[in-house]
Amino acid sequence: MTAATKLGWAFGQQGLTHPLVVAHLTSQLAHESGLVPKEENLHYRAERLMQVWPARFRTMAAAQACAGNPERLANTVYGGRMGNTQPGDGWRFRGRGLIQLTGRSNYETYGRLVGFDLIANPDLLLQYGVGALVAGAYWNARGLSRHALRDDVTRVTEGINGGRNGLEDRRRLLAIAKQHMGLR
């Protein structure tokens, strides 16, 4: 089964078949992961850490302590939140998959929804089929189809990442997805 076939199958399993919904979901995943299940790239320079996580890195010294150290960075920025309660949870439950699922509570919730033990096996998100199923379940749990059907890329983006990070790129990718699907 090709990657596109697995993606289509997973979307169908989650009831995500409306062309506008598929265009929005696909464009969001293209922004998050390039449509390839991967783990979060946590290789940052200190200056960039202060831009990405200004509340966590208020000084250059704090940022330098995590720069170039992905495991330490993940434990610093994700530890103690998103259900990460154990030492090392930030690293263990860093962003993975097509949608960059992050945090122990999300791994537990979405693993249960799609029938995989992502707590014991977090790297399952790196398998295309599992990553696609989780992306669809995440989309549905947040009710993002209602925004996609109104063609509201801003609200969809907020539902995916909690903010408007990469909004212009997501708009660009949505236009490409729509063109390929014969929409507008």
Side-chain angles (χ1 to χ4, degrees):
M1 199 182 298
T2 67
T5 303
K6 288 178 184 176
L7 194 62
W9 173 84
F11 288 0
Q13 292 295 303
Q14 298 292 330
L16 302 169
T17 58
H18 189 283
L20 193 53
V21 169
V22 171
H24 273 269
L25 177 52
T26 302
S27 65
Q28 291 288 328
L29 297 180
H31 178 81
E32 292 292 323
S33 65
L35 292 173
V36 176
K38 60 180 72 169
E39 63 182 46
E40 182 177 10
N41 179 358
L42 293 165
H43 295 275
Y44 287 91
R45 293 182 335 271
E47 297 80 12
R48 183 69 178 139
L49 288 174
M50 293 181 74
Q51 294 170 344
V52 174
W53 287 289
R56 302 242 181 226
F57 299 104
R58 296 181 190 272
T59 67
M60 183 58 73
Q64 287 172 334
C66 289
N69 187 333
E71 187 170 351
R72 185 172 187 175
L73 174 59
N75 287 325
T76 298
V77 299
Y78 299 140
R81 62 189 193 106
M82 298 181 288
N84 292 331
T85 58
Q86 304 299 312
D89 275 359
W91 174 248
R92 183 170 170 83
F93 302 111
R94 64 194 176 275
R96 279 192 190 83
L98 290 166
I99 203 153
Q100 293 298 286
L101 193 72
T102 308
R104 177 185 280 272
S105 60
N106 281 330
Y107 276 62
E108 183 176 354
T109 296
Y110 294 101
R112 186 176 56 253
L113 285 174
V114 301
F116 291 93
D117 185 353
L118 298 178
I119 297 297
N121 302 294
D123 283 340
L124 286 174
L125 279 166
L126 300 175
Q127 294 179 12
Y128 211 101
V130 176
L133 283 171
V134 167
Y138 187 94
W139 179 275
N140 281 335
R142 284 168 169 65
L144 299 178
S145 289
R146 72 181 183 275
H147 302 308
L149 291 170
R150 288 195 307 265
D151 209 13
D152 188 344
V153 68
T154 301
R155 295 293 303 272
V156 170
T157 298
E158 291 168 347
I160 294 292
N161 77 9
R164 296 181 180 183
N165 298 327
L167 184 58
E168 290 311 311
D169 185 53
R170 293 168 199 265
R171 283 190 175 123
R172 180 187 66 79
L173 291 166
L174 177 59
I176 293 168
K178 285 179 175 179
Q179 180 180 16
H180 284 287
M181 296 181 73
L183 301 172
R184 286 208 267 179

